[in-house]
Amino acid sequence: MSDLPPIEPGADGIEQGKRLIRQDSDKGLSLSERIAEQLTRLTWRTPLHTMRLKGRHPLKLLTVADDPFLGDPDRGQALLDGMLAFRGETRNLHELALSRPTFSKPFGEYLHSFAWLRDLSTVTTRTKGAPIAEALMREWIAAHGDVVSDPAWRADMWGRRLLFWVAHAPLILSSGDLVYRSNVLHALARGARHLDRTADRVPLGVPRIAAWCGVLAAGLIIPGGDPRRVFGEAGLTRALDQSVFGDGGTVGRSPLGLLDAIMLLTMLRSTYAARRMEMPDAATAALPRMVSALLGVSHGDRALSSWQGGAPVHPDVMAQVIEATGVRTRPLRQAREWGYQRMSAQASVLIVDAAPPPIARIAEGGCASTLAFEMSDGPNRIIVNCGGARASMAAVPTALAEGLRTTAAHSTLVVDDSNSTAILADGTLGKGVTEVELSRHEADNASRIEASHDGYARRFGFLHRRLLALSNDGRDLRGEDMLLPAGKRRQRDATPFAVRFHLAPDVEIAATSDGQAAILRLPGGAMWQFRARGAALSVEDSVWVNPQGRPVSTEQIVLSGEAAPGGATVSWLLHKAR
């Protein structure tokens, strides 16, 4: 197999040359930041903050917004059957015990956000759904209406809750019980006053966007809310400026998080529309950029690729969300700030993580995935990441969920079975990748990405450099993975490494007898040949988390070798034979 040919830059409007992407020194929250965070939570429980929450509550709401999105029919049906279900965890509505919760954190966030109102409204009428919603609302108010506590009173949770209360008010305010209605409106007013003081105290990214959306929802539907609306519009503009990159990606680097942020802004826009008003310019301008970035990390099957703990979202859900935004745009090819690169030719799509992991203080559960890639051929995925660390079912063991965050769970090179960025015992990310050097070129015959990261430099004395070249007919993907000596540390002995290519579950693989190649068969009859040089090829078991959050058994190609002190080079080729 020949080496990668040089490709001359093309004038297609893509910025050429090298780009240094830096990550601020990040060791998670410092001691002072942890103390400040704890003090913030403690202030929620002080008599002074409780006094600030007092005040008049509205006798009615000015309007009811439309929820532009459909819910999950299975979760909605479970509610009709008297059960609350989320990611494989199911609880009887009469045994939730909200004041003494025993459910998981994801289940609790689903419950406290009131996102289940969307699921319920999707499968039933107001007449049948209102008694269920009201019963849950009564229990929530009894446990949390007057008790300021975490996570129920977290600012981002209140932001989501207000959006859902406004959009599904007929389900929670249809009762003729005036005391109950007054309690709901009282809780809404208290939540709005709480948000006024805490919206800027949640982490940047989707949480802060959610909090400020809640401020604005309250300002739009509570009588006399114009001052709050003006205050909220300034806060949301500031949050978007700090949380959304110029290319449309969010600071948490999660495609699933970006989808969430898009849905929040679209719900907010619906609330503005109910008042016959326009959403702030900053949010209106951000939506098209965000949708373009989201499409940029979608495969040929129109579902998301798996990055930063997310799992694929069903294509029907993706299509419904994009349609609800009203945005018509093309997939973004280069998200330099967000950190993803997209190459496409004919039916082939390649998505590359070309940035350090997210900063620990911003993103929970970040993954050590730098320089990994995914690839699809039309509707069929070929190379994937395991994914799903933060989107898997409740039944997935904690050890497996944490394992899905590792470098080995991604399609990239791994040195000595270690992570390119450390995953600490408390779940945060530690030292590792701080710089990614990136160069991209377009030419008549191929697109080429060359990138390197320093995640192994301090521990092993190597840079990982990856070259990827996709031919313009989409039938050839050529790659090189190199370990180059770097830094002051020099290895005296050979260092083991492995280049992993996790395969989609529907891919059938057969290794050749020479141990240097494999045949990949895709659904529909397409066949790809994989060949490698510079390492021994083997086929091992793997796992992939599907759109439902369930782990599915699959396989992976592993290229194993040892790097001498002077480094190592592995060349490989994926060729579409038919």
Side-chain angles (χ1 to χ4, degrees):
M1 184 175 63
S2 62
D3 293 335
L4 287 168
I7 299 177
E8 295 300 324
D12 68 342
I14 297 177
E15 180 184 353
Q16 304 296 339
K18 294 183 177 180
R19 166 85 174 195
L20 189 64
I21 305 174
R22 297 185 181 274
Q23 178 189 40
D24 294 334
S25 177
D26 177 46
K27 301 176 182 178
L29 293 176
S30 66
L31 177 61
S32 61
E33 288 170 327
R34 291 179 182 178
I35 293 174
E37 186 178 86
Q38 186 64 27
L39 288 175
T40 296
R41 288 193 173 96
L42 290 175
T43 58
W44 296 359
R45 303 177 178 90
T46 62
L48 178 60
H49 186 69
T50 302
M51 289 180 60
R52 288 169 174 166
L53 299 181
K54 293 181 178 180
R56 298 178 61 184
H57 62 268
L59 300 178
K60 63 178 182 179
L61 304 181
L62 290 176
T63 187
V64 174
D66 291 327
D67 189 340
F69 304 108
L70 295 175
D72 185 293
D74 292 336
R75 295 199 296 255
Q77 186 59 50
L79 282 162
L80 291 178
D81 295 335
M83 310 295 288
L84 193 66
F86 187 71
R87 290 188 190 168
E89 187 172 353
T90 303
R91 301 298 178 104
N92 192 301
L93 292 179
H94 302 295
E95 300 174 358
L96 287 174
L98 295 185
S99 58
R100 300 182 304 278
T102 58
F103 37 74
S104 68
K105 180 180 178 180
F107 185 94
E109 292 184 343
Y110 172 66
L111 168 62
H112 289 307
S113 70
F114 279 70
W116 50 266
L117 285 172
R118 173 184 289 158
D119 300 328
L120 182 61
S121 67
T122 298
V123 298
T124 191
T125 62
R126 182 177 67 175
T127 302
K128 292 183 179 180
I132 298 171
E134 289 173 10
L136 259 175
M137 174 65 85
R138 289 177 188 272
E139 187 170 355
W140 190 89
I141 289 177
H144 299 292
D146 293 318
V147 179
V148 181
S149 61
D150 191 30
W153 277 66
R154 216 172 59 205
D156 59 308
M157 201 59 62
W158 258 117
R160 295 176 187 276
R161 187 156 51 237
L162 286 178
L163 284 172
F164 281 112
W165 283 5
V166 171
H168 298 279
L171 284 177
I172 59 174
L173 284 171
S174 294
S175 174
D177 184 340
L178 297 181
V179 174
Y180 162 78
R181 288 173 56 87
S182 179
N183 286 340
V184 173
L185 294 171
H186 177 63
L188 190 152
R190 283 170 57 85
R193 285 190 281 269
H194 177 73
L195 271 180
D196 290 344
R197 297 181 177 274
T198 60
D200 261 343
R201 297 181 183 178
V202 289
L204 288 172
V206 182
R208 194 167 296 187
I209 292 171
W212 282 107
C213 283
V215 172
L216 283 167
L220 288 164
I221 55 94
I222 295 178
D226 285 347
R228 175 176 282 132
R229 179 175 58 80
V230 173
F231 165 71
E233 289 179 347
L236 180 62
T237 298
R238 186 170 60 251
L240 289 173
D241 182 61
Q242 297 171 328
S243 302
V244 179
F245 294 119
D247 53 32
T250 52
V251 293
R253 299 206 60 230
S254 165
L256 209 56
L258 178 58
L259 177 67
D260 187 13
I262 288 170
M263 295 176 73
L264 287 168
L265 291 179
T266 307
M267 286 188 74
L268 178 64
R269 187 180 62 186
S270 179
T271 309
Y272 270 91
R275 287 288 312 276
R276 292 182 171 83
M277 300 172 69
E278 295 292 330
M279 192 165 63
D281 291 342
T284 300
L287 260 181
R289 303 199 313 271
M290 295 166 74
V291 171
S292 180
L294 187 72
L295 292 175
V297 291
S298 300
H299 277 294
D301 61 2
R302 301 187 183 279
L304 291 179
S305 48
S306 299
W307 302 105
Q308 296 305 321
V313 175
H314 195 280
D316 291 346
V317 175
M318 285 287 292
Q320 198 260 331
V321 170
I322 300 302
E323 182 179 1
T325 66
V327 174
R328 298 294 180 265
T329 186
R330 293 181 178 181
L332 182 65
R333 287 194 289 174
Q334 289 203 92
R336 287 190 179 274
E337 293 177 288
W338 196 30
Y340 296 104
Q341 296 285 318
R342 176 188 182 90
M343 292 195 291
S344 60
Q346 301 301 321
S348 297
V349 173
L350 193 76
I351 301 165
V352 186
D353 179 358
I359 296 175
R361 61 173 60 88
I362 290 176
E364 180 182 357
C367 298
S369 58
T370 309
L371 297 195
F373 78 96
E374 290 199 351
M375 182 182 182
S376 59
D377 177 11
N380 299 312
R381 296 179 186 225
I382 306 175
I383 307 297
V384 297
N385 299 310
C386 297
R390 290 295 173 264
S392 55
M393 301 290 279
V396 174
T398 302
L400 173 57
E402 289 303 300
L404 295 172
R405 300 173 57 198
T406 63
T407 304
H410 296 80
S411 293
T412 188
L413 180 145
V414 184
V415 175
D416 199 17
D417 200 25
S418 62
N419 294 314
S420 57
T421 295
I423 300 175
L424 304 180
D426 62 359
T428 60
L429 294 176
K431 294 180 179 179
V433 179
T434 57
E435 294 181 355
V436 173
E437 189 175 326
L438 171 68
S439 179
R440 176 168 179 163
H441 305 285
E442 307 290 332
D444 293 337
N445 61 334
S447 299
R448 172 170 168 151
I449 286 176
E450 181 176 351
S452 64
H453 75 71
D454 61 350
Y456 296 117
R458 293 184 60 175
R459 287 168 290 165
F460 300 101
F462 292 118
L463 289 178
H464 173 207
R465 182 174 293 273
R466 168 164 269 186
L467 283 73
L468 299 166
L470 180 66
S471 63
N472 284 351
D473 61 5
R475 301 183 69 88
D476 287 284
L477 174 64
R478 295 178 179 270
E480 281 186 359
D481 284 286
M482 292 164 280
L483 289 174
L484 306 176
K488 298 179 180 179
R489 187 182 181 104
R490 288 289 186 271
Q491 296 292 325
R492 295 182 179 179
D493 302 319
T495 303
F497 68 86
V499 187
R500 299 182 181 274
F501 303 83
H502 297 274
L503 303 176
D506 292 334
V507 176
E508 297 179 5
I509 181 171
T512 59
S513 58
D514 63 2
Q516 294 295 307
I519 304 299
L520 309 180
R521 291 183 175 86
L522 278 55
M527 185 171 71
W528 287 75
Q529 298 173 343
F530 182 93
R531 294 197 65 85
R533 186 178 64 192
L537 185 151
S538 62
V539 179
E540 299 180 4
D541 292 335
S542 183
V543 68
W544 181 68
V545 178
N546 69 12
Q548 290 73 42
R550 295 184 176 88
V552 179
S553 296
T554 185
E555 294 177 293
Q556 60 177 312
I557 298 172
V558 182
L559 305 179
S560 303
E562 291 187 337
T569 298
V570 178
S571 302
W572 49 267
L573 167 69
L574 260 172
H575 168 70
K576 187 172 186 178
R578 70 176 187 208

